[in-house]
Amino acid sequence: MNRAGPSPRPPERDLAARRIGLVSSPGEAAKAAEAMLRRRYSWADEDEAETLVALGGDGFMLQTLHAMLEDGSARPVFGMNRGTFGFLMNDWRLDCLQERIANAKHIRVAPLNMEATTIRGETWNHPAINEVSLLRETRQTAKIEISVNGRVVMPELVADGVLVATPAGSTAYNLSAHGPILPLAAKMLALTSISPFRPRRWSGAILPDDVSVRFRVLEADKRPVAAVADQFEVREVCTVDVSLDRSRSLTLLFDPEHALDERIAMEQFAT
């Protein structure tokens, strides 16, 4: 008696042959979407995939990108929103996934590199796709000296903190802190103060993306400051150096009508 094996999937559903893998956040909506996609398509193993589909929200997308930066295996990522906001994600749809990935617009982003030194002499390096922020740890305001390319441009900023954001991150924390929205092709960085007290009217600056920025915490023992690269935090820092790392660029895939560069530009008109 002959037993037929499982029917082969149609070519448009054989994503394994195209070396496309699938990852998802642990959220309920993402896991439900993952189950549907695994029934509909065949997938390459995550370690062997040349392209990834990521299910979740912006936080999971950042987590996925950071994992690739850590292991040195940067691959294009096509995200679908099964999280809360999903600014970095495409719309969730079950059908025509192979066609969507084949026709996707490639958006390349370079991360910042943060080198933070603590008052104990420890040094930490970590990438940031959205922003590097310095934040006061106690009720006392932070006092921070800011230098650009070795030149002191702000002898003393008294504020809750300060951040440097990439264009990709300019619509995240930077925008909440009233920083400028930067078009993705602008080759600029946003330097934005967080609740400034002195100088009271200084909100920040727009800098070329080939500069290096150094923050020196004044009275670091008395007024402790934490440095955060996306979600990675270093407490009680005394100096933080930030620069763009073009050698570690990442590729995000977007439906042409939903591309990140256009979404960032349209955020300028959001009400």
Side-chain angles (χ1 to χ4, degrees), residues 85-104:
F85 186 56
F87 192 83
L88 298 174
M89 316 298 276
N90 296 283
D91 291 336
W92 156 253
R93 293 200 300 272
L94 182 62
D95 297 324
C96 303
L97 189 53
Q98 186 275 329
E99 181 180 352
R100 291 175 71 189
I101 294 172
N103 295 329

Side-chain angles (χ1 to χ4, degrees), residues 95-197:
D95 297 324
C96 303
L97 189 53
Q98 186 275 329
E99 181 180 352
R100 291 175 71 189
I101 294 172
N103 295 329
K105 185 174 183 178
H106 290 57
I107 300 291
R108 295 181 68 84
V109 296
L112 298 167
N113 181 69
M114 176 187 80
E115 182 177 299
T117 302
T118 70
I119 59 176
R120 296 174 296 280
E122 303 165 333
T123 299
W124 298 84
N125 283 278
H126 205 270
I129 297 159
N130 276 352
E131 75 279 317
V132 171
S133 55
L134 276 70
L135 303 164
R136 64 185 176 97
E137 295 183 22
T138 67
R139 62 181 178 81
Q140 290 185 298
T141 55
K143 291 186 176 182
I144 300 170
E145 176 192 86
I146 305 173
S147 299
V148 177
N149 285 345
R151 175 187 175 189
V152 176
V153 295
M154 179 70 64
E156 183 180 88
L157 171 66
V158 183
D160 282 354
V162 63
L163 64 84
V164 177
T166 65
S170 67
T171 57
Y173 188 15
N174 172 71
L175 183 58
S176 298
H178 307 292
I181 294 174
L182 302 177
L184 205 55
K187 298 187 182 301
M188 296 288 179
L189 300 174
L191 174 64
T192 301
S193 61
I194 303 170
S195 300
F197 181 67

Side-chain angles (χ1 to χ4, degrees), residues 6-113:
S7 301
R9 296 180 189 270
E12 67 272 13
R13 296 190 185 182
D14 187 6
L15 301 186
R18 294 171 175 80
R19 306 291 291 275
I20 299 173
L22 178 65
V23 293
S24 73
S25 80
E28 184 177 341
K31 286 300 180 186
E34 179 186 10
M36 287 188 283
L37 286 171
R38 291 199 181 277
R39 287 194 296 268
R40 177 67 63 93
Y41 303 95
S42 63
W43 298 90
D45 292 337
E46 181 182 346
D47 293 340
E48 299 176 357
E50 296 177 354
T51 301
L52 288 178
V53 172
L55 305 174
D58 288 341
F60 181 70
M61 175 60 83
L62 289 175
Q63 178 183 325
T64 301
L65 296 173
H66 275 286
M68 291 195 296
L69 288 173
E70 289 174 12
D71 62 24
S73 62
R75 294 165 284 178
V77 183
F78 184 90
M80 285 198 289
N81 187 24
R82 290 286 82 193
T84 303
F85 186 56
F87 192 83
L88 298 174
M89 316 298 276
N90 296 283
D91 291 336
W92 156 253
R93 293 200 300 272
L94 182 62
D95 297 324
C96 303
L97 189 53
Q98 186 275 329
E99 181 180 352
R100 291 175 71 189
I101 294 172
N103 295 329
K105 185 174 183 178
H106 290 57
I107 300 291
R108 295 181 68 84
V109 296
L112 298 167
N113 181 69

